[in-house]
Amino acid sequence: MTPDLLELDRRHVWHPYTQHFDAPPPPLVTRAEGAYLYDARGRRILDAISSWWVTLHGHAHPAIATAVAKQAAVLEQVIFAGFTHEPAARLAQALVGVLPDGLSRVFFSDDGSTAVEVALKMALQYWEGRGERRPLIAALEHAYHGDTFGAMSASARGVFTAPFAPQLFEVARLPDPSEGGGGATLAALEQLLDRRGSEVAAVIVEPLLLGAGGMRVWEAETLRGIRDRTSAAGALLIADEVLTGFGRTGPAFACGGAGVEPDIMCLSKGLTGGFLPLGATVAREEVFAAFSSPDRRRTLFHGHSYTANPVACAAALASLALLDDASAESRRMIEATHRAQLARLATHPRVQRPRVIGTIAAFDLDAAPDYLNAAGRALGAFALERGVLLRPLGNVVYLLPPYCTTADDLRCAYEVIEQFLSESPA
Ligand SMILES: Cc1ncc(COP(=O)(O)O)c(C=O)c1O
């Protein structure tokens, strides 16, 4: 049975972010539990990247699985324009209860990219509705906000976006705040707001961690500086917490931990605990109010077929309930283990710029800083053979495990990395 399925996959499936020219046959995953995936060959694989950063409490968590099954048997889907339902109303209330103050209106979509698209459209149309011409978005160098066109436009230009360069809209680009303490970012933002402040609709940031752009950690002080300056200029601040939300950086939300209240926040990935696709763009009441008008042209004309899918909302509610004190304790343990293990690893000459933020640890391999660099892929293949799922971003190696991961599990992952380093000197 196994070879047939792989053959079907080989013949008919087009995988994401995969060069099929020389991609090895993928593991055929048959089940998952806690921090582990199990494949058809009977292998157990530690999911050290939470399956593209989505799995929060662990795979197949029984509380979420039960909530999903219960909801699916009652109401699986209903159009969300002109209709509502209990899981969406309860989830909106629950999110508003845990998000930084001021965020009060939840717009549901499907994933991180759509949450960002909605945020950008909200910001641009907000100003239009107020009769001000503010067509400019500002974004950070090394940003990653998703793969749809608006999200790609706000993201750094690079190998992911190159084929579409002519179709992307220009944004004002601010220096990477992870370099040089963030002073250059704030100075550039000040200059932009001085010169073109009346044109800036919004500044979009990944708070405290530029994720897919290289797991670059930056200071809360800089984030507060960005908030102060955008507030003073009247520009909106969009916090893309698609990766950092739901405890990844330690506190429930990176903005909350930094004491920053954005105008719009994007959520996805961990929102459902990693069970189902769901996005949410949460706005302040003033933003929402600007769309409310007898003039129907001021409607936010955006929606997706599965907007606020009841099963996904039920998964998210169950996942939020698990984000409790015990989860916070597990996250602290993961952070402490990262710090201890990474400090050891950092003595290796190939390990550069070790960094930890909450449950995420990263370092650079001393290879060319390029997403297409083969060094990271070699480490990924080496680790997979030894039962650990890692997926370096070019030469950037990171661990981003589910919160149920034990210290022993994590130590095993670090041992595999150490073995790779000792067997493949630069
Ligand atoms: C910060 C951030 N925003 C948006 C996205 C896009 O999310 P999705 O892949 O669910 O479209 C990602 C995905 O990695 C992300 O890290």
Side-chain angles (χ1 to χ4, degrees), residues 53 111-113 144-146 206 240 242-243 269:
W53 320 347
D111 51 48
S113 300
Y144 177 79
H145 295 290
E206 292 161 85
D240 176 354
V242 166
L243 164 58
K269 291 204 182 272

Side-chain angles (χ1 to χ4, degrees), residues 140 142 176-182 185 206-223 243-244 248-249 254 335 339 342 353-364 396 398:
L140 299 175
H142 297 133
D176 177 345
S178 76
E179 288 166 8
T185 314
E206 292 161 85
L208 308 191
L209 178 72
L210 295 156
M215 294 296 168
R216 296 157 185 269
V217 179
W218 54 290
E219 300 291 326
E221 193 54 40
T222 310
L223 181 60
L243 164 58
T244 53
R248 279 291 172 206
T249 66
E335 174 162 2
R339 289 195 187 281
L342 201 54
R353 300 201 323 141
R355 48 210 186 262
V356 175
I357 180 167
T359 65
I360 304 167
F363 66 89
D364 294 357
V396 177
Y398 68 91

Side-chain angles (χ1 to χ4, degrees), residues 110-127:
D110 296 351
D111 51 48
S113 300
T114 53
V116 168
E117 293 294 329
V118 171
L120 296 172
K121 287 169 90 170
M122 266 181 192
L124 293 167
Q125 194 178 337
Y126 166 79
W127 290 110

Side-chain angles (χ1 to χ4, degrees), residues 1-33:
M1 171 163 169
T2 302
D4 287 349
L5 290 176
L6 283 178
E7 181 55 18
L8 293 181
D9 180 283
R10 192 187 67 75
R11 264 195 246 153
H12 298 299
V13 179
W14 191 338
H15 286 266
Y17 279 85
T18 299
Q19 178 44 266
H20 281 274
F21 175 75
D22 57 1
L28 178 62
V29 177
T30 50
R31 71 182 188 90
E33 190 182 338

Side-chain angles (χ1 to χ4, degrees), residues 49-69:
I49 61 160
S50 297
S51 278
W52 252 348
W53 320 347
V54 302
T55 308
L56 227 53
H57 315 289
H59 286 279
H61 194 290
I64 307 178
T66 304
V68 164

